Amino acid sequence: EIVLTQSPGTLSLSPGERATLSCRASQSVSSNYLAWYQQKPGQAPRLLIYGASSRAIGIPDRFSGSGSGTDFTLTISRLEPEDFAVYYCQQYGRSPRAFGPGTKVDIK
Amino acid sequence: EVQLVESGGGLVQPGRSLRLSCTASGFTFGDYAMSWVRQAPGKGLEWVGFVVTKPYGGTTEYAASVRGRFTISRDDYKSIAYLQMDSLKIEDTAVYFCTRDRGRGYYGSSGYWGQGTLVTVSS
C-alpha cells in the first residue's frame, strides 16, 4: 500500500505570493498517476492536476504540477483570493487509491 | 454537462445497513469507472473504493477499512452507481462523494464529483 505524506500541514501566505506544496509517496507512483485536488469549505473537491503535471479542464495556468517517482509538487505561481483552500494529492496507479492528509493554504 | 447526484444518506444505527445511489447524467455512463470517496466531519478525504467498466471486467476494489462490509456496483442501463454499506460502524460517519474518472480506462483520477450525501451512524 502506498502512503502519501503532504507538507507543510498549513501554509500561510498573502495574495500574490507563490505557494509550493509537497507530496511524498512511500513507494514509487506507477506511471506518475498522481493527482491534486482543491477543496473549499462546504464544497466537493475539484481536480486540478492529473498525471503529475497535466492541468484539468478549466484550471488556470497559475497552477502547475511537477515531479516523478516518489516526490511531487503543486505550485501556485501567484495566489488569488479564491485559491485559499485545502489541497490533497492522490495516487491512482495502484489500489488503494490513497489520498494524502492535505495542506491548508490560508491567508497570512 | 456531467452531473452526479448522490442520494440515500441519513441517520442509521450501528450494525445496520444503508445503500447510497449515484445518479449520473451528461455522459455515457458505461464508459467510465466510478468511485466513492468519503470525508468524516472535519477530516481529510478517504478513498472508499471503485468499480471499473464492463470491458475491464467490472472489477471492484476497496479500502481495507470497508472491505467485506461495503459493496460497490453499477447499473449501466440506469446510469447509477451504488454503495451498499453493511455492518455500519460509528466511524463510518462521513459525507460520501461519488466520483467519475476523468478519462476512460482502468486507472483514473476523479475528474467529476457529486455534491455528497451525509451518512451518520449513531444509536
Side-chain angles (χ1 to χ4, degrees), chain A residues 33 35 37 39 43-47 50 57 88 90 92-101, chain B residues 35 37 39 43-47 50 61-62 97 101-102 106-114:
Chain A
Y33 286 145
Y37 303 86
Q39 187 179 32
Q43 296 185 16
R46 175 175 71 148
L47 176 67
Y50 64 94
I57 295 172
Y88 296 93
Q90 182 201 27
Y92 53 94
R94 188 186 304 179
S95 185
R97 295 182 177 183
F99 289 90
Chain B
S35 299
V37 175
Q39 186 168 37
K43 303 297 184 181
L45 302 174
E46 180 184 13
W47 177 80
F50 70 79
E61 298 197 40
Y62 302 93
F97 296 101
D101 275 8
R102 184 198 63 82
Y106 195 95
Y107 301 102
S109 54
S110 288
Y112 297 88
W113 295 67

